[in-house]
């Protein structure tokens, strides 16, 4: 079951790799002059050379004559052997291939094999790898529950697997060699016998030499994506090491409308006094307790969150990138045009790049350049080409044309604003008409016949209306909608 699922996933990644193959073989000579550079393929966890048969066929069809070697070592369960043991085995296999290819070789490494290849390139001081493609490899470590992890450690989950992996006998499993639990980083740094060393996270005597050996690689391609169901998190090279869902209890106050029933007496026909009630509403507060789920991101080493609740991580550059540069990887800047260097502090001389930027004279400036012309020529409107005479100044007709176009634009905007104001005025008049009809229905007489003392009485009555329900009940009283049932207060109150 696991092998079939892994083969399907590998086939998907091979399809993703196909567009990169022309670039991988681009530097090789044409077939009629010499063969393409050999390609070496290293499989991943629980895989074998058979899993890459489709990739082998594709390379042979599109680039005939290319020597492709899929190393048939540490297949299946043997891939669980310690990674340093695998590095030694694969090293013995690639040395003869490299010796027969003085022009260089290409290296394609899948999943766990990407870590084996990285270690190979670090420890070999005489390798001639031109292109190294890491396909879905956990270069920053593994931390997540996957099918093969559950099969390997059925009684452990990612939250407590560090107890096994960060022990001497746990390091005898390849998966534990690159298990990186961000919640126990101190244990990882002390116990990891593989990943912490090749990543330079723990000092060791060979760190400088390994870094120098790895930099012999001509081209480096790292491929990964969210559809990867094996390597988790797939952002192992993007800064986010894990995302967790936490249940957080919340307690807060919220407002709501509480109904209040107020009894009152009214006089009905037949001089009976009837009792009824009014329903009013008042705003009150209550305490609410609930649990919500929140996603929490854990950043890899060399990355940080912009604020505690952020779900993405930003790279950390010990020395800030200058002149508009952006920190895109730990201690790696992406410079703005016109600047270079590790921290974007070096001005690039565009005039010496070998590209013709100006027709006559190029003058380098900080982060840019300007063009100059001889005394008998002037700089054109494009700022790069020199022409005879002076640039033609704008004529009065062209200035007038521009002014007319701007005036027409302003006039259209003004007309549109007038139409909007007229529409608002019409809606306001309709509202006023409806409000006037409502006022006339409520008042005991036309508004123009009201006396000052009657107006004061109405204002006082309005102050006593505490809610919308009170207004509705007041209208019902004005319309005589009171219904008296057999609920009089006694015979003494039914007569004078």
């Amino acid at each position: 079951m696991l092998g079939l699922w892994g083969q399907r996933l590998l086939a998907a990644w091979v399809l993703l790799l196909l567009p990169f193959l022309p670039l991988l073989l681009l530097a090789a000579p044409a077939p009629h002059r010499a063969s393409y550079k050999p390609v070496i393929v290293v499989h991943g966890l629980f895989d074998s050379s058979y899993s890459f048969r489709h990739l082998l066929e594709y390379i042979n069809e599109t680039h005939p004559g290319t020597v492709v070697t899929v190393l048939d070592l540490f297949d299946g369960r043997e891939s669980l052997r310690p990674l340093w043991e695998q590095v030694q085995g694969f090293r013995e296999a690639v040395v003869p291939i490299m010796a027969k290819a003085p022009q260089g070789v290409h290296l394609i490494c899948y999943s766990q094999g990407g870590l084996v290849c990285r270690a190979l390139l670090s420890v070999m001081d005489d390798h001639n790898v031109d292109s190294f493609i890491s396909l879905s490899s956990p270069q920053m470590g593994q931390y997540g529950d996957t099918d093969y992890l559950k099969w390997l450690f059925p009684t452990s989950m990612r939250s407590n697997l560090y107890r096994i992996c960060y022990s001497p006998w746990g390091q005898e499993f390849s998966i534990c060699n690159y298990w990186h639990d961000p919640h126990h980083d101190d244990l990882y740094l002390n116990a990891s016998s593989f990943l912490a060393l090749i990543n330079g996270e723990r000092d060791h005597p060979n760190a400088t030499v390994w870094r120098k050996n790895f930099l012999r690689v001509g081209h480096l391609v790292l491929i990964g994506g969210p559809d990867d169901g094996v390597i988790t998190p797939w952002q192992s090279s993007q800064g986010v090491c894990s995302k967790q869902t936490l249940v957080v209890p919340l307690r807060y106050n919220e407002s709501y409308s509480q109904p209040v029933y107020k009894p009152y007496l009214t006089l009905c026909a037949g001089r009976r006094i009837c009792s009824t009630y009014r329903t009013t509403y008042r705003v009150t507060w209550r305490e609410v307790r609930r649990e919500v789920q929140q996603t929490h991101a854990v950043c890899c080493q060399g990355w940080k969150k912009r604020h505690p609740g952020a779900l993405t991580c930003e790279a950390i550059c010990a020395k800030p990138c200058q002149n508009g540069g952006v920190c895109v990887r730990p201690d790696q800047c992406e410079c703005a045009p016109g600047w270079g260097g590790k921290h974007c502090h070096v001005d690039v001389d565009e005039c010496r790049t070998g590209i013709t930027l100006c027709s006559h004279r190029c003058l380098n400036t900080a982060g840019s350049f300007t063009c100059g012309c001889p005394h008998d020529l002037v700089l054109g409107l494009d700022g790069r080409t020199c022409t005879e005479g002076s640039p033609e100044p704008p004529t009065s007709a062209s200035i007038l044309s521009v002014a007319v176009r701007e005036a027409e634009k302003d006039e259209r905007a003004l007309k549109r604003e007038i139409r909007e104001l007229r529409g608002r005025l019409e809606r306001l008049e309709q509202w006023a008409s409806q409000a006037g009809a409502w006022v006339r229905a409520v008042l005991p007489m036309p508004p123009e016949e009201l006396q000052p003392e009657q107006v004061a009485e109405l204002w006082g009555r309005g102050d006593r209306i505490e809610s919308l329900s009170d207004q509705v009940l007041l209208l019902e009283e004005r319309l005589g909608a009171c219904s008296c049932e057999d609920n009089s207060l006694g015979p003494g109150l039914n007569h004078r």
Side-chain angles (χ1 to χ4, degrees), residues 254-477:
E254 69 175 8
S255 62
Y256 71 101
S257 297
Q258 182 184 43
V260 179
Y261 305 101
K262 296 182 177 180
Y264 77 102
L265 302 178
T266 183
L267 183 64
C268 299
R271 298 186 180 278
R272 291 190 304 166
I273 296 178
C274 299
S275 63
T276 183
Y277 64 90
R278 295 179 181 177
T279 303
T280 61
Y281 296 88
R282 66 180 181 184
V283 177
T284 186
W285 297 86
R286 61 187 172 193
E287 185 181 71
V288 178
R289 298 183 180 183
R290 56 182 299 192
E291 292 182 346
V292 297
Q293 292 186 346
Q294 292 184 354
T295 302
H296 176 66
V298 178
C299 296
C300 300
Q301 186 172 2
W303 301 75
K304 66 176 182 179
K305 291 189 286 189
R306 178 173 295 182
H307 54 83
L311 298 180
T312 58
C313 300
E314 298 178 349
I316 300 174
C317 289
K319 186 175 181 180
C321 304
Q322 304 177 23
N323 301 307
V326 180
C327 185
V328 294
R329 292 285 187 275
D331 290 327
Q332 180 180 343
C333 297
E334 184 176 287
C335 301
W339 296 96
K342 183 177 181 180
H343 308 293
C344 304
H345 60 291
V346 179
D347 173 47
V348 176
D349 191 346
E350 294 86 356
C351 301
R352 295 187 178 182
T353 57
I355 302 175
T356 303
L357 301 174
C358 304
S359 61
H360 287 73
R361 187 184 305 134
C362 180
L363 304 174
N364 182 54
T365 60
S368 185
F369 68 95
T370 58
C371 297
C373 301
H375 295 296
D376 55 338
L377 299 177
V378 295
L379 195 61
L381 297 178
D382 61 355
R384 298 192 177 190
T385 307
C386 297
T387 59
E388 296 181 355
S390 58
E392 181 180 356
T395 61
S396 58
S398 62
I399 296 176
L400 180 61
S401 175
V402 173
V404 170
R405 287 197 298 270
E406 294 294 333
E408 290 177 351
K409 186 186 300 183
D410 294 341
E411 182 180 0
R412 288 194 296 270
L414 183 60
K415 289 181 178 179
R416 183 170 59 254
E417 186 176 355
I418 291 175
R419 288 195 299 269
E420 292 178 356
L421 290 175
R422 285 178 176 174
R424 294 179 184 178
L425 182 60
E426 291 177 358
R427 290 193 295 270
L428 184 60
E429 290 177 348
Q430 293 176 0
W431 179 85
S433 176
Q434 296 174 357
W438 181 84
V439 170
R440 289 180 180 275
V442 173
L443 293 179
M445 61 188 67
E448 56 272 11
E449 298 180 5
L450 288 175
Q451 300 299 323
E453 57 275 8
Q454 293 174 319
V455 173
E457 181 182 354
L458 289 174
W459 275 114
R461 182 183 300 177
D463 291 340
R464 292 192 300 270
I465 300 177
E466 297 178 353
S467 66
L468 182 61
S469 61
D470 286 336
Q471 298 179 28
V472 173
L473 290 173
L474 181 62
L475 289 175
E476 289 179 349
E477 291 181 11

Side-chain angles (χ1 to χ4, degrees), residues 74-120:
F74 300 98
D75 298 346
R77 296 188 180 185
E78 286 297 310
S79 61
L80 292 173
R81 302 292 299 169
L83 287 185
W84 281 122
E85 180 180 332
Q86 298 190 40
V87 170
Q88 182 60 31
F90 281 107
R91 180 177 184 174
E92 296 174 357
V94 302
V95 166
I97 301 175
M98 293 181 180
K100 296 178 181 179
Q103 76 277 17
V105 299
H106 300 303
L107 199 58
I108 302 177
C109 307
Y110 173 66
S111 186
Q112 178 180 280
L115 292 173
V116 174
C117 292
R118 266 193 64 202
L120 272 175

Side-chain angles (χ1 to χ4, degrees), residues 41 43 47-50 69-75 90:
V41 181
H43 64 75
D47 286 327
S48 66
S49 59
Y50 181 77
T69 303
V70 183
L71 298 179
D72 196 10
L73 295 173
F74 300 98
D75 298 346
F90 281 107

